Amino acid sequence: RCGIDRGERGTAAVMMLAANAPDIDAYPFFTDQLDYLEIHRGYTHALAFSPFIALLPIAIVAAFTKQRPSLRLWLGSWLVVLSHLVLDWTNVYGIRMLLPFSDRWLRLDITNVVDPVIWLILLVSVAIPAVLGLVSSEIGAGKVGGVRRTWAWIAMVLLLSYEGVRWTSHQRVIDHVNALLWMDEPAQAAYAFPDSFGTLSWRAVVEGDDFFYELPADFSGNFSMRDGHAEYKIGESPNVDAARTTRTFQVVESFNQVPFWRISPLVDETRVDLMDLRFGSIRGSGGFTASALVEPGGRIKDVSFGMRR
């Protein structure tokens, strides 16, 4: 309980709310996904604002329980808020934790945005003490509290171990990619993204001067270049310039960390797609994709944005 007195009411509620408080910026998700993309994991996820975000759960609980806030409670809430930022930092979405001094996206790319293994570790650490407390009438309140603390430590060790294994596996893929030549040149940038939920397989993406190369890799970092697929980057294009004048493409491009442009000529217009290779593949459409239909002369006929696989 982060050093907070047991008798202090509402402590558990404060910690639960603090663990989720930074995500208050996700409210536009169901109304305007473009607004969501623009603000999510911004100021509410910044280190400079985290002490103030930690006050919000305390204020909410105090309004319902009349609990008197304390320094210990605030410190505990702040620590939990920081744990949220750390977990967000580990996944492919990233986090702008240096705002307002820098809007740079920081990420480790070692876990998915939703990782079933992490959820399972946290669920088990809560479920087992709860079940033991229900089925054993002989366990006193103090012993139940001891079981809960024990499983909290077990969950922490398991979580750190899992993250460590993923980081090691991720780094092996990056090292192997950087040790090779791609299209007769070294990689300008190398990425490894989690390929599927809860596994240690990766999707390696190599960026060259005028191409992207994508291929699967396993836990050891091994891969076969025969399993890869290459796509050339498009050069300067008036259709791309036209698409960039829209707010949709401006927002997606500012969020996009590994941009891949595709131009598809149609009968009377040209389709322009901008996808983020963190979430989509060069072999097809991907999540967080902006699309535009551009008519001759650069007129935008239609523009859209979607989170699709």
Side-chain angles (χ1 to χ4, degrees), residues 12-249:
V14 169
M15 298 302 116
M16 181 185 68
L17 291 173
N20 297 279
D23 280 341
I24 59 174
D25 62 1
Y27 66 88
F29 180 82
F30 297 102
T31 57
D32 190 323
Q33 291 186 343
L34 203 60
D35 284 346
Y36 167 83
L37 199 67
E38 191 170 28
I39 70 171
H40 186 45
R41 296 199 180 179
Y43 286 98
T44 62
H45 288 69
L47 289 173
F49 290 90
S50 60
F52 307 102
I53 297 297
L55 292 173
L56 182 60
I58 297 175
I60 293 175
V61 172
F64 287 94
T65 65
K66 308 302 181 182
Q67 179 181 359
R68 185 176 180 180
S70 68
L71 177 60
R72 283 185 172 184
L73 188 62
W74 173 71
L75 290 174
S77 179
W78 188 13
L79 180 63
V80 174
V81 168
L82 291 176
S83 73
H84 181 117
L85 305 190
V86 170
L87 284 174
D88 281 352
W89 176 46
T90 66
N91 64 49
V92 295
Y93 196 105
I95 180 175
R96 290 172 286 180
M97 68 170 68
L98 300 182
L99 286 171
F101 310 105
S102 170
D103 62 355
R104 179 186 174 192
W105 285 90
L106 303 176
R107 65 186 205 281
L108 293 182
D109 291 341
I110 62 176
T111 61
N112 280 292
V113 177
V114 179
D115 192 302
V117 175
I118 294 177
W119 279 94
L120 181 62
I121 291 172
L122 298 177
L123 179 62
V124 168
S125 67
V126 172
I128 290 181
V131 170
L132 290 176
L134 289 173
V135 302
S136 178
S137 59
E138 296 181 0
I139 297 181
K143 293 183 179 180
V144 172
V147 171
R148 288 172 178 168
R149 282 190 292 271
T150 298
W151 274 97
W153 282 108
I154 291 174
M156 181 68 71
V157 171
L158 289 175
L159 182 60
L160 291 176
S161 300
Y162 176 68
E163 296 279 8
V165 169
R166 291 202 68 99
W167 184 88
T168 301
S169 176
H170 176 270
Q171 195 58 44
R172 284 176 177 172
V173 175
I174 297 298
D175 291 342
H176 283 215
V177 167
N178 284 325
L180 299 175
L181 292 179
W182 303 87
M183 312 283 279
D184 296 324
E185 64 178 77
Q188 286 191 350
Y191 310 94
F193 303 120
D195 188 49
S196 57
F197 291 155
T199 70
L200 290 175
S201 58
W202 304 89
R203 182 172 53 89
V205 176
V206 185
E207 183 175 2
D209 183 52
D210 60 352
F211 68 89
F212 279 104
Y213 199 100
E214 182 181 88
L215 70 167
D218 62 22
F219 169 78
S220 64
N222 293 325
F223 49 77
S224 172
M225 295 179 67
R226 292 187 303 244
D227 298 329
H229 180 77
E231 288 282 351
Y232 284 98
K233 298 178 182 178
I234 63 172
E236 295 183 5
S237 168
N239 293 310
V240 169
D241 294 338
R244 277 178 163 151
T245 63
T246 67
R247 176 176 178 264
T248 298
F249 275 78

